[in-house]
Amino acid sequence: MESIQEQEPARSREQRYEALARVVAEPLHRYLRRRANADQVDDILAESMLVLWRRLEDVPGLDVGRVPAADAVLPWCYGVARGCLSNARRADRRRLRLVERLTRAVAVPAVQPQYGNHEQLHAALDALGEADREVVLLWAWEELAPRAIAEVTGLSPNAVSIRLHRAKKKLAALLERKTSLPAGHETADGRSTQ
């Protein structure tokens, strides 16, 4: 039977984890919903939360007795979720290779997320490399600063800033080609595009 002294640290650990979970569960769910198949999101989130429980002592900005600040804990937690998502993708690839070997069938195409009314934007995002796309999505969807993105991706903050700048410039060029008026045309407010 556990002594009172052994129960106290366990309860403190549970309280710290519960405080962390209240802060990060919803943002991690959104993060994964944007990147994974809908039927995998809950499983990957559960795996991410399990890793956070196991590595609770490693979470930066998580102090005893205080509610963690989202800015302090989220980048590290996004990195954990990213790793769990990568593991799930690798497992899917292994499973597909096994099915292919067993059935000698044509490769199963990857399921593409539903893009709704933003097909041009998603086509432009697809034109970016995987690392650049991830940096842009962390910046735009998760509203992370380059320093936090660096923590998620393992890149340096300087590398993130450079990638983000170049990727945004490329996106703007790709989208402008599809939406811009030829030079000399007037805009709705009467100004010339020259």
Side-chain angles (χ1 to χ4, degrees):
M1 185 168 174
E2 281 185 320
S3 70
I4 293 175
Q5 293 170 341
E6 291 172 341
Q7 290 175 355
E8 200 57 40
R11 183 64 194 140
S12 174
R13 180 177 171 78
E14 288 172 12
Q15 289 172 340
R16 288 177 44 223
Y17 177 76
E18 289 168 1
L20 176 66
R22 281 190 293 275
V23 171
V24 303
E26 184 56 35
L28 291 181
H29 190 259
R30 282 193 312 265
Y31 173 87
L32 293 168
R33 217 175 39 227
R34 293 175 178 142
R35 289 165 176 80
N37 293 330
D39 59 337
Q40 293 180 314
V41 170
D42 290 337
D43 291 338
I44 299 170
L45 178 62
E47 181 66 27
S48 300
M49 297 307 288
L50 180 61
V51 171
L52 292 178
W53 169 255
R54 288 181 186 150
R55 298 196 53 204
L56 192 61
E57 304 306 320
D58 298 333
V59 179
L62 187 59
D63 298 322
V64 177
R66 290 188 21 217
V67 175
D71 292 346
V73 295
L74 266 175
W76 195 86
C77 294
Y78 282 136
V80 167
R82 184 173 187 244
C84 291
L85 179 60
S86 293
N87 289 343
R89 287 177 175 161
R90 277 193 298 277
D92 282 346
R93 286 192 297 270
R94 285 192 303 269
R95 207 171 4 264
L96 283 175
R97 284 194 303 268
L98 177 60
V99 168
E100 288 172 0
R101 281 196 318 261
L102 293 174
T103 62
R104 308 261 185 230
V106 178
V108 178
V111 176
Q112 292 294 319
Q114 297 299 320
Y115 289 142
N117 296 330
H118 306 287
E119 290 179 21
Q120 291 178 345
L121 173 61
H122 289 283
L125 283 169
D126 289 342
L128 298 176
E130 185 176 335
D132 289 345
R133 183 173 43 254
E134 180 68 4
V135 166
V136 169
L137 295 178
L138 285 167
W139 171 77
W141 286 350
E142 313 311 330
E143 299 178 358
L144 295 181
R147 188 174 357 171
I149 295 170
E151 192 172 337
V152 173
T153 61
L155 299 169
S156 71
N158 189 45
V160 168
S161 294
I162 291 169
R163 279 186 181 276
L164 184 59
H165 175 75
R166 289 179 181 163
K168 288 184 343 187
K169 197 172 181 180
K170 184 174 181 179
L171 277 175
L174 289 168
L175 292 172
E176 187 168 318
R177 281 188 224 143
K178 297 182 183 292
T179 60
S180 66
L181 295 172
H185 285 70
E186 287 188 4
T187 60
D189 61 359
R191 290 185 290 160
S192 174
T193 58
Q194 282 187 346

